[in-house]
């Protein structure tokens, strides 16, 4: 092998080594940046929590529906882009978009919720509105959210909103899966398959639009809840109260699902 050939081989190895080191540095810098973001976001959320803690405790008999749109599914790193709170009759009590404090882009979530960075460029930060949300949710008798037990409520808790200890938390996704009736698994592992909000609403006859607007999702969820209540009130309803409660428990997520940090294909944490 000639000296020229050896020099080419050495140069190729050197280039590969340099590229590897550059990649490792980029990964390390990205992780450092992500860690700084998590730390800063945590401080921001602590300030939000202080606002929530100062909200007056004035219990109401309100039954409220709420929904969030976020930059992603990661409780530790993602932020809230939009929130809405309505009554079960569809009256909008709160609706706002928010400019994230530290997240600059969210292309994956944007494909789902349609909210771009430009859409929230001039929006308030959630810290400016969290008190209004807390005043409603922390005092409500009943709080309803589709996939709320797995996603929306834990997300809000990261910002300091704490529901009343005696609050009823209603998640129609759980018993909605029973009503829809599609099964997954085999043998003893058979269970009901979670359905997206729009799919279940369509099944129940809801004619809505503008999916993934938080307010629109609240109104659709309220429709589902009222439909279930109507069905349970009929003697010839598809499901008796006793059977429905039993199936609600069957459809409820396991402890392992609730504590899971990531979403799996069959997990309800996957967004609507």
């Amino acid at each position: 092998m000639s000296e020229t050939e050896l020099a080419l081989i050495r140069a190729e190895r050197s280039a590969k080594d340099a590229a590897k080191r550059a990649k490792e540095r980029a990964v390390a810098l990205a992780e450092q940046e992500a860690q700084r973001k998590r730390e800063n976001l945590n401080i921001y959320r602590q300030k939000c929590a202080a606002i929530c803690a100062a909200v007056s405790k004035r219990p109401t008999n309100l039954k409220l529906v709420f929904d969030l749109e976020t930059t992603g599914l990661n409780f530790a790193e993602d932020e809230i882009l939009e929130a809405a709170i309505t009554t079960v009759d569809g009256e909008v009590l709160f609706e706002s978009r928010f400019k994230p404090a530290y997240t600059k882009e969210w292309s994956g979530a944007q494909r789902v919720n349609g909210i771009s960075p430009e859409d929230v460029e001039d929006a308030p930060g959630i810290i400016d509105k969290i008190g209004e949300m807390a005043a409603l949710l922390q005092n409500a008798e009943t709080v309803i959210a589709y996939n709320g037990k797995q996603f929306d409520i834990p997300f809000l808790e990261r910002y300091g909103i704490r529901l009343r200890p005696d609050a009823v938390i209603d998640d129609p996704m759980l018993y909605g899966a029973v009503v829809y009736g599609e099964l997954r698994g085999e043998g003893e592992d058979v269970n009901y398959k979670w359905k997206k909000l729009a799919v279940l609403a369509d099944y129940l006859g809801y004619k809505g639009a503008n999916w993934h607007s938080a307010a629109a999702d609240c109104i659709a969820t309220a429709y589902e809840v009222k439909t279930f209540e109507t069905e349970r009130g009929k003697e010839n309803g598809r499901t008796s109260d006793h059977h429905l409660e039993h199936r609600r428990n069957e459809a409820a997520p396991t402890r392992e699902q609730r504590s899971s940090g990531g979403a799996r294909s069959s997990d309800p944490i996957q967004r609507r």
Side-chain angles (χ1 to χ4, degrees), residues 39-83:
E39 292 172 353
N40 290 333
L41 182 57
N42 188 50
I43 293 170
Y44 183 82
R45 286 172 168 174
Q46 289 174 4
K47 294 177 180 178
C48 289
I51 294 172
C52 295
V55 168
S56 298
K57 292 180 173 60
R58 297 176 180 174
T60 69
N61 62 355
L62 290 175
K63 294 182 178 180
L64 300 180
V65 185
F66 85 96
D67 183 74
L68 305 177
E69 300 299 338
T70 66
T71 62
L73 303 175
N74 189 319
F75 295 154
E77 296 182 358
D78 284 305
E79 301 186 63
I80 297 173
L81 289 171
E82 184 177 47

Side-chain angles (χ1 to χ4, degrees), residues 15-271:
K16 288 181 178 179
D17 290 342
K20 182 180 179 180
R21 289 192 297 271
K23 184 177 180 179
E24 290 172 346
R25 285 195 299 271
V27 169
L29 288 172
E31 179 53 37
Q32 290 174 9
E33 180 61 29
Q35 181 60 31
R36 280 194 295 270
K37 175 188 172 182
R38 287 191 290 268
E39 292 172 353
N40 290 333
L41 182 57
N42 188 50
I43 293 170
Y44 183 82
R45 286 172 168 174
Q46 289 174 4
K47 294 177 180 178
C48 289
I51 294 172
C52 295
V55 168
S56 298
K57 292 180 173 60
R58 297 176 180 174
T60 69
N61 62 355
L62 290 175
K63 294 182 178 180
L64 300 180
V65 185
F66 85 96
D67 183 74
L68 305 177
E69 300 299 338
T70 66
T71 62
L73 303 175
N74 189 319
F75 295 154
E77 296 182 358
D78 284 305
E79 301 186 63
I80 297 173
L81 289 171
E82 184 177 47
I85 303 171
T86 74
T87 67
V88 289
D89 293 320
E91 178 185 356
V92 179
L93 302 180
F94 176 90
E95 182 179 15
S96 181
R97 285 184 171 180
F98 311 110
K99 181 177 181 178
Y102 299 101
T103 307
K104 303 305 180 185
E105 57 184 23
W106 46 90
S107 57
Q110 183 179 336
R111 286 192 292 271
V112 177
N113 57 41
I115 302 174
S116 69
E118 292 75 24
D119 291 334
V120 294
E121 179 62 32
D122 297 321
I126 193 172
I127 198 168
D128 300 314
K129 294 286 188 176
I130 195 79
E132 295 177 46
M133 296 171 63
L136 289 167
L137 294 173
Q138 291 183 168
N139 287 309
E141 178 181 75
T142 302
V143 175
I144 303 165
Y146 201 87
N147 199 16
K149 290 184 178 181
Q150 278 281 329
F151 188 80
D152 300 76
I153 291 174
F155 222 113
L156 278 185
E157 287 176 345
R158 293 296 181 114
Y159 287 83
I161 287 184
R162 298 288 184 268
L163 305 182
R164 281 165 46 179
D166 64 338
V168 175
I169 301 173
D170 194 356
D171 188 342
M173 187 186 73
L174 303 182
Y175 49 94
V178 179
V179 171
Y180 194 92
E182 182 177 347
L183 297 175
R184 67 166 182 253
E186 297 180 355
E188 295 181 356
D189 294 328
V190 169
N191 211 326
Y192 291 96
K193 187 175 181 180
W194 314 112
K195 287 297 173 183
K196 292 182 178 181
L197 172 61
V199 172
L200 184 60
D202 181 69
Y203 177 76
L204 296 174
Y206 178 70
K207 304 301 179 185
N210 197 25
W211 292 109
H212 288 294
S213 153
D217 285 5
C218 283
I219 293 169
T221 299
Y223 173 89
E224 293 178 357
V225 170
K226 295 183 77 172
T227 300
F228 293 142
E229 289 176 349
T230 299
E231 288 295 317
R232 289 200 298 272
K234 295 178 181 177
E235 289 184 0
N236 62 345
R238 287 173 294 184
T239 312
S240 69
D241 280 338
H242 174 76
H243 180 66
L244 183 54
E245 288 300 322
H246 175 69
R247 289 307 190 183
R248 269 185 179 181
N249 293 332
E250 284 188 354
T254 64
R255 179 179 300 176
E256 288 75 14
Q257 286 174 325
R258 288 195 297 270
S259 62
S260 173
R264 296 186 294 275
S265 60
S266 59
D267 284 348
I269 197 172
Q270 294 188 8
R271 288 297 280 161

